[in-house]
Amino acid sequence: MSKIKIAIAGIGNCASSLIQGIYYYTPERVGNDKIVPGLMHWDVAGYRPCDIEVVAAFDVDSRKVGKDVNEAIFEKPNCTTVFYQDLPLSGTIVKMGNILDGVSKHMADYDDNRTFVLDGTPSATKEDIVRELKESGAEILTNYMPVGSEEAAKFYAECALEAGVAFINNMPVFIASNPEWAEKFEAANIPIVGDDIKAQLGATITHRTLTDLFAKRGVVLDRTYQLNTGGNTDFLNMKNQDRLASKKESKTEAVQAVAGTRLDDENIHVGPSDYIPWQNDNKVCFLRMEGDLFGGVPMNLEMRLSVEDSPNSAGVAIDMIRCCKLALMNSEGGILTAASAYFCKHPPVQYTDDQAYEMTEQFIDSRVKSLGAAE
């Protein structure tokens, strides 16, 4: 089978984990069984993680631009766990992207090990990005811009539309969940998945699952908080409170959507809390939920969750890519509703995770069967 050819905007920690995973998950390393530890799906329509190929990459850090993407993922300020380092050169060189609002101004207050280093290279134009997407043969553009990069995210969405490639929006700028943007992708018959990737087993999916459990077991949820700390560039970037609005909305709505009764704003707090440099890519979540049991008797739950942030998203990204490929193979465009609901915090339509899981499995099965019938 041919490879799934993808482009990546933003060669940070998440891109590093994704690319390491493409090389890690091969039949030679993990076997070829239906169930492989660490993945939700080993095989989707015949495509395994190792069948994904990065053919174009964009960044604005001079330590990455101009390097082979398989070398660039190990450059600072990337600090995620290296679980597979023996990567061959890919032949794909990281090209200069468009800066726009992709770098927060306060980042200059920190040393070069933690921040982006710009060397005066002119930003790429939309024409530059579209040309690279077309010439590389990319089928899917996955967006890993930092939180708060509203203009940069929209820029790459426009590039995807103009180049005719599917778009995966991993960050909390509302594109798939914005009716105007959704209509653009629908009209162009280009698949889109979004918004804001939901980790494999992270703070939001855990908080949602427990909130759903409260509702199903008849426990009244009175108030809750989710506090997160981390030491990667994303947490450093989010020290600028002006860039947090969409992130907080995305994470909060993901929890509110599965609550039995919607909580008043003062009774729910969900969002990034602080940047702790020595945590690197480790993210620690502190979760508290207070509620009422039978007879109005109070209860509370407290939990601490520690995860390596970027690998926690990589397996989800691999499934998003393969669902986009299925849509492309079936000439299906517009919002991929099931994939967006299952893999993202702020999809156009919120479903419980059980519902979204069943919808996604049905999407995969029906599209695979459709391809078989077409043959």
Side-chain angles (χ1 to χ4, degrees):
M1 296 178 68
S2 60
K3 296 279 190 176
I4 305 175
K5 296 182 178 181
I6 70 166
I8 301 177
I11 309 302
N13 285 309
C14 289
S16 176
S17 293
L18 171 62
I19 292 171
Q20 290 181 62
I22 290 171
Y23 289 91
Y24 180 89
Y25 282 104
T26 64
E28 294 76 20
R29 280 191 55 82
V30 299
N32 209 16
D33 296 330
K34 187 175 181 180
I35 298 176
V36 174
L39 291 173
M40 291 183 285
H41 298 92
W42 166 240
D43 182 305
V44 175
Y47 288 103
R48 302 155 303 177
C50 55
D51 295 316
I52 298 170
E53 179 183 7
V54 180
V55 296
F58 308 100
D59 205 277
V60 298
D61 191 318
S62 58
R63 291 168 291 190
K64 299 173 183 176
V65 175
K67 289 187 171 67
D68 188 281
V69 68
N70 287 1
E71 295 178 320
I73 61 171
F74 300 118
E75 294 290 340
K76 292 184 181 302
N78 292 5
C79 59
T80 191
T81 295
V82 176
F83 58 87
Y84 195 73
Q85 191 169 16
D86 189 22
L87 305 185
L89 293 178
S90 68
T92 297
I93 303 301
V94 179
K95 302 293 178 64
M96 184 66 182
N98 195 312
I99 300 170
L100 295 169
D101 56 356
V103 181
S104 182
K105 292 180 180 178
H106 80 283
M107 301 284 271
D109 297 334
Y110 294 82
D111 65 75
D112 285 351
N113 287 333
R114 296 285 167 179
T115 61
F116 287 103
V117 179
L118 304 174
D119 63 357
T121 302
S123 284
T125 64
K126 183 166 71 172
E127 291 72 23
D128 294 330
I129 302 296
V130 170
R131 185 186 313 111
E132 179 69 11
L133 291 173
K134 288 182 175 180
E135 291 180 354
S136 67
E139 303 168 273
I140 301 163
L141 173 59
T142 184
N143 174 34
Y144 279 128
M145 288 293 102
V147 172
S149 305
E150 298 273 339
E151 295 305 316
K154 293 173 183 176
F155 169 82
Y156 284 107
E158 286 283 4
C159 291
L161 280 168
E162 192 162 322
V165 303
F167 189 66
I168 296 174
N169 185 33
N170 291 307
M171 48 89 68
V173 168
F174 303 144
I175 296 177
S177 54
N178 180 312
E180 293 182 11
W181 277 102
E183 174 56 32
K184 291 180 181 180
F185 280 89
E186 184 74 35
N189 199 38
I190 296 172
I192 178 171
V193 178
D195 299 305
D196 196 9
I197 191 168
K198 189 191 298 173
Q200 184 175 16
L201 210 161
T204 298
I205 185 65
T206 303
H207 203 167
R208 277 173 59 91
T209 300
L210 289 171
T211 301
D212 187 46
L213 179 66
F214 270 52
K216 288 177 176 174
R217 302 298 291 181
V219 181
V220 177
L221 181 61
D222 294 324
R223 61 190 64 87
T224 184
Y225 67 65
Q226 180 197 128
L227 308 177
N228 299 293
T229 66
N232 58 26
T233 309
D234 207 31
F235 274 89
L236 175 56
N237 175 66
M238 290 187 289
K239 283 183 71 67
N240 182 344
Q241 294 293 311
D242 293 338
R243 300 173 70 92
L244 275 180
S246 60
K247 183 67 173 178
K248 287 180 67 66
E249 180 181 343
S250 176
K251 289 175 71 67
T252 301
E253 189 57 34
V255 176
Q256 287 276 36
V258 294
T261 301
R262 193 175 182 88
L263 295 170
D264 293 335
D265 290 346
E266 63 266 24
N267 289 327
I268 181 169
H269 177 86
V270 181
S273 302
D274 212 345
Y275 166 69
I276 301 175
W278 53 261
Q279 281 187 223
N280 290 319
D281 197 42
N282 180 249
K283 176 179 178 179
V284 177
C285 162
F286 300 93
L287 178 64
R288 181 176 174 88
M289 304 173 72
E290 299 180 3
D292 298 317
L293 297 167
F294 184 80
V297 177
M299 59 80 65
N300 68 75
L301 177 154
E302 288 193 345
M303 187 195 78
R304 179 186 184 276
L305 172 67
S306 174
V307 294
E308 195 75 0
D309 207 18
S310 300
N312 204 10
S313 73
V316 180
I318 283 173
D319 274 14
M320 294 164 83
I321 289 166
R322 292 184 291 180
C323 284
C324 273
K325 177 63 175 179
L326 262 180
L328 290 168
M329 294 168 73
N330 280 278
S331 301
E332 180 177 351
I335 297 165
L336 302 190
T337 302
S340 295
Y342 190 49
F343 300 130
C344 297
K345 299 184 186 78
H346 197 274
V349 182
Q350 289 276 10
Y351 294 90
T352 67
D353 291 292
D354 287 343
Q355 292 172 321
Y357 168 78
E358 293 297 336
M359 290 166 59
T360 301
E361 293 302 304
Q362 184 178 10
F363 170 86
I364 293 171
D365 289 345
S366 63
R367 272 51 175 193
V368 169
K369 288 177 182 176
S370 176
L371 292 172
E375 292 175 358

